Amino acid sequence: MKTIIEPFKIKSVEPIYFTTREQRAIILKEAHYNPFLIHASEVLIDLLTDSGTSAMSSNQWAGIMQGDESYAGSTSFFHFESTIQEITGMPVIIPTHQGRASEKILFSIVGGKGKYIVSNTLFDTTRANIEFSGATGVDLICEEGKYPTIPAPFKGNMDIEALKTFIAEKGAENIPLCMMTITNNSGGGQPVSMQNIREAKAVCSSYGIPLFIDACRFAENAYFIKLRESGYSEKSIPEIVCELFSYADGCTMSAKKDAFANIGGFIAMHSEQLAQQCRNMLILTEGFPTYGGLAGRDLEAISIGLREVMDEHYLQYRIRSVEYLTNQLITAGVPVMQPAGGHAIYLDAKKFLAHIPVHQYPGQALVGALYLHGGIRGVEIGSLMFGKYNEQQQLIPAQQELVRLAIPRRVYTQSHIDYVAEVIIEVYQERAKIKGLRIVEEAPMLRHFTAKLTPIVS
Ligand code: F0G
């Protein structure tokens, strides 16, 4: 087979910024060893997130010029509405300014004290919005999803037996919604199989519980189904997507991922009654139902992006480039989550820096080393992000110490990816020199965004 090439040519380019190792040592120190505090102009390859960082196509930019900025009844809204109706098969489409705005609206209506929202794995903002409403978020990930380095085709699946047991225990009346996250971001960007979605739907239906999909990366998930699930290899991506949404009563979406947009989102659903409540809340917090916190031009960019993302040449290149990076790391013996997920690679910092104990934040130390060595910015998903303190102020560590390097869509080429692999492998070879970190300042909530740290010199 020939090399899988980027399925685009480049019309407009943006500079990336080179710094020396000496400069980066100063920048890192001044940013208190927290990559969120580094200016983007001091980053060479920015893998902090795949959200809102996509390159838009010439068609999307053309759509931007055609955006209709009317307050009510914008032509761009009707384009947006009909596109999403066609893709999801759902009649009600509500625009929002991003994914978490959709979550806030949905859970302030269906959530509340004493309620449980069950999921394969809830993303942080989804969980936070559920908990803010007073409800409890429950993750029921399948067994194989719990082990980062053991390969399996659908590690994002929900544990269907656990779902049945949970509903029987808590009572269907206390579970207003089941949320399936595709692909499972917090679980390593791993896909969910069609069979799992179908089975979750059957269980939910038998109890009258609506099934919603967190659809941020629906096209990447559909491509994995085509590759890995029997019976789907001959189906087109739109056909797979159509079946996938046919099992859902609704979905929330961040258009910052699989719509190639820099901002935007939506809620889609079948129930007109729930939609009415959502629209009332939308007017309060986002805007009129035909723009929902977005400019008409954003609605156009999203409508066009949603069709482009289902192109098989694009998805083949997208999934392959993440796998290509993962494979280079596996060959060099670097501990990385397997198999490759859809949008990011996840380094296992506990194994990578086995000499750094968890209370010295090995994930954050690795993030710092990648920046220092190669100007690459990633994010820690470990005890800095999820750790808590017990009554003696000792750290209760997170289950895993991971570093996520998320790949923006259509932004970097194969040589950038090769460079990233080289840097990670070099850092791995020199790992013994990396020191742990101590927190010197932190916020009471979501501390990883602003925490200040310093290296532990022994
Ligand atoms: N759901 C999932 C699965 C996500 O990955 C995200 C965002 C959201 C919901 C919220 O969407 O950012 O538009 O409000 N994930 C980004 C990330 C931030 O870096 O993984 P949003």
Side-chain angles (χ1 to χ4, degrees), residues 49 51 98-100 103 123 125 181 185 214 216-217 254 256-257 404:
T49 180
S51 178
Q98 66 182 85
R100 69 198 72 181
E103 295 159 4
F123 181 66
T125 58
T181 311
N185 184 4
D214 176 340
C216 292
R217 299 177 179 86
S254 166
K256 299 173 76 174
K257 284 88 173 170
R404 184 184 83 170

Side-chain angles (χ1 to χ4, degrees), residues 152-325:
F154 291 104
K155 290 171 77 171
N157 280 356
M158 185 183 277
D159 182 338
I160 300 295
E161 285 311 308
L163 174 66
K164 289 181 194 160
T165 313
F166 189 86
I167 300 173
E169 247 171 49
K170 303 289 181 190
E173 66 284 7
N174 297 315
I175 306 173
L177 201 131
C178 173
M179 186 72 138
M180 190 71 102
T181 311
I182 67 166
T183 58
N184 185 3
N185 184 4
S186 309
Q190 298 293 325
V192 178
S193 70
M194 192 71 89
Q195 187 185 342
N196 194 249
I197 300 174
R198 201 182 297 123
E199 286 176 7
K201 171 65 181 172
V203 173
C204 288
S205 289
S206 68
Y207 288 99
I209 300 170
L211 175 71
F212 268 58
I213 290 181
D214 176 340
C216 292
R217 299 177 179 86
F218 73 96
E220 289 171 8
N221 200 99
Y223 190 68
F224 279 119
I225 290 175
K226 182 173 170 100
L227 284 187
R228 297 182 185 168
E229 193 162 350
S230 81
Y232 289 93
S233 62
E234 298 301 318
K235 294 217 156 104
S236 72
I237 297 297
E239 278 171 335
I240 296 173
V241 166
C242 177
E243 180 180 345
L244 190 151
F245 281 115
S246 75
Y247 301 121
D249 297 280
C251 71
T252 56
M253 173 80 184
S254 166
K256 299 173 76 174
K257 284 88 173 170
D258 268 358
F260 300 123
N262 302 121
I263 196 71
F266 58 83
I267 320 174
M269 64 187 81
H270 286 282
S271 163
E272 188 47 52
Q273 197 196 349
L274 177 61
Q276 209 45 53
Q277 292 172 283
C278 289
R279 284 198 198 99
N280 292 342
M281 187 67 79
L282 185 85
I283 293 174
L284 208 62
T285 59
E286 292 283 292
F288 190 72
T290 60
Y291 73 85
L294 291 171
R297 65 180 83 101
D298 300 322
L299 296 168
E300 284 296 340
I302 295 167
S303 312
I304 297 165
L306 282 170
R307 289 196 193 282
E308 288 180 356
V309 80
M310 293 194 286
D311 173 58
E312 252 176 65
H313 290 291
Y314 160 72
L315 285 167
Q316 182 190 34
Y317 137 82
R318 168 74 175 159
I319 300 304
R320 177 66 193 137
S321 60
V322 179
E323 185 187 51
Y324 172 77
L325 177 53

